[in-house]
Amino acid sequence: MAQRYVESNMITFSSVISACGKDGEWQKALQLLAVMRQNEVECNNVTLSALISCCEKGSRWEKAVQLFGEMTRKSLESDVFIFNATISAFAKVGEWEQALHFVNAMVQGKMQSDMVTFNAALNACGKHGQWEKVLQLLSVMAHSKMESSTTTVSSAISGCDQGGEWERALQLFKDMVQETIEPSMITFNSLISTCEKSGEWEKSLQLLNMISQSSLECGTITFNAAISACEKG
């Protein structure tokens, strides 16, 4: 009877925490965790997975790592969704080294990664100009025969832009076009920013022309970057 009561409580908490995660109410999810601790209700992998997902949405990467460690200590099974949520939490706060650590753990553990895994890691590295790490991640994706998406290439281009590697950024864009991957405004903005920094004003005008021929709309940031590139050239 007592065991059934505990299991019932665990299921109830897991369901409510999952609902909080879907609604972005990560603070409430962590409050529920505190209530579970007070009532000595053990967390299972479902509960901890939902909590890690909540932490990712709330950019609470330190808490996500703590919860992940708890899963490891309890020998609870981790899956790709838990890893992805943890890596995404790192990406949101720019902890690219931690993000790569978890990607490597997945690879070494022979866990099947997916597009979400690499896009999150690329985003974390790209924001901090870690262009060499970005290219390494793309290489691992290619070796795994994983197809790139618009988000994938845009993050990689952003990383090369932040790292001052404009030629590599433009090469990635050429590869993107050849692979018929649809660029986004994030892609174009990163490229035009790269052209501005490198004084490649002619290429920035070519990119503006490409945007005008697409369904995308230029914003103030795009035009300002292109104008600045022309001024510097």
Side-chain angles (χ1 to χ4, degrees), residues 50-105:
L51 283 163
I52 289 171
S53 180
C54 288
C55 290
E56 180 260 318
K57 291 179 174 63
S59 300
R60 297 291 301 274
W61 69 270
E62 288 143 324
K63 191 66 179 177
V65 172
Q66 182 185 331
L67 292 166
F68 189 91
E70 185 173 336
M71 289 191 72
T72 304
R73 288 192 301 276
K74 291 182 177 180
S75 299
L76 297 174
E77 185 177 353
S78 299
D79 57 22
V80 65
F81 300 106
I82 296 169
F83 270 92
N84 286 350
T86 308
I87 292 168
S88 295
F90 290 136
K92 283 190 175 181
V93 293
E95 291 288 333
W96 63 271
E97 291 174 304
Q98 292 280 9
L100 288 181
H101 172 75
F102 272 74
V103 172
N104 289 332

Side-chain angles (χ1 to χ4, degrees), residues 68-221:
F68 189 91
E70 185 173 336
M71 289 191 72
T72 304
R73 288 192 301 276
K74 291 182 177 180
S75 299
L76 297 174
E77 185 177 353
S78 299
D79 57 22
V80 65
F81 300 106
I82 296 169
F83 270 92
N84 286 350
T86 308
I87 292 168
S88 295
F90 290 136
K92 283 190 175 181
V93 293
E95 291 288 333
W96 63 271
E97 291 174 304
Q98 292 280 9
L100 288 181
H101 172 75
F102 272 74
V103 172
N104 289 332
M106 291 182 76
V107 173
Q108 291 171 8
K110 296 182 179 179
M111 180 178 289
Q112 184 63 47
S113 52
D114 59 16
M115 186 71 71
V116 176
T117 312
F118 283 96
N119 281 350
L122 282 164
N123 182 35
C125 293
K127 285 180 178 177
H128 285 74
Q130 296 297 320
W131 62 272
E132 291 175 314
K133 301 296 184 186
V134 161
L135 296 181
Q136 287 172 14
L137 287 167
L138 290 179
S139 178
V140 173
M141 288 183 70
H143 185 264
S144 303
K145 301 188 185 307
M146 195 178 295
E147 293 185 2
S148 298
S149 67
T150 301
T151 303
T152 308
V153 184
S154 296
S155 294
I157 289 172
S158 176
C160 290
D161 169 39
Q162 294 293 329
E165 293 289 323
W166 65 271
E167 290 178 322
R168 294 180 189 275
L170 292 173
Q171 184 58 53
L172 286 171
F173 180 67
K174 287 178 183 177
D175 295 341
M176 185 183 199
V177 173
Q178 287 176 357
E179 293 174 20
T180 64
I181 300 172
E182 195 73 27
S184 66
M185 276 312 302
I186 294 173
T187 315
F188 281 113
N189 284 342
S190 293
L191 285 164
I192 292 173
S193 170
T194 296
C195 292
E196 176 200 359
K197 291 171 185 174
S198 60
E200 295 289 323
W201 62 274
E202 290 178 325
K203 286 187 173 63
S204 70
L205 294 180
Q206 289 171 10
L207 290 166
L208 280 179
N209 186 49
M210 289 182 70
I211 297 170
S212 67
Q213 293 175 5
S214 71
S215 59
L216 300 171
E217 292 185 8
C218 285
T220 305
I221 294 173

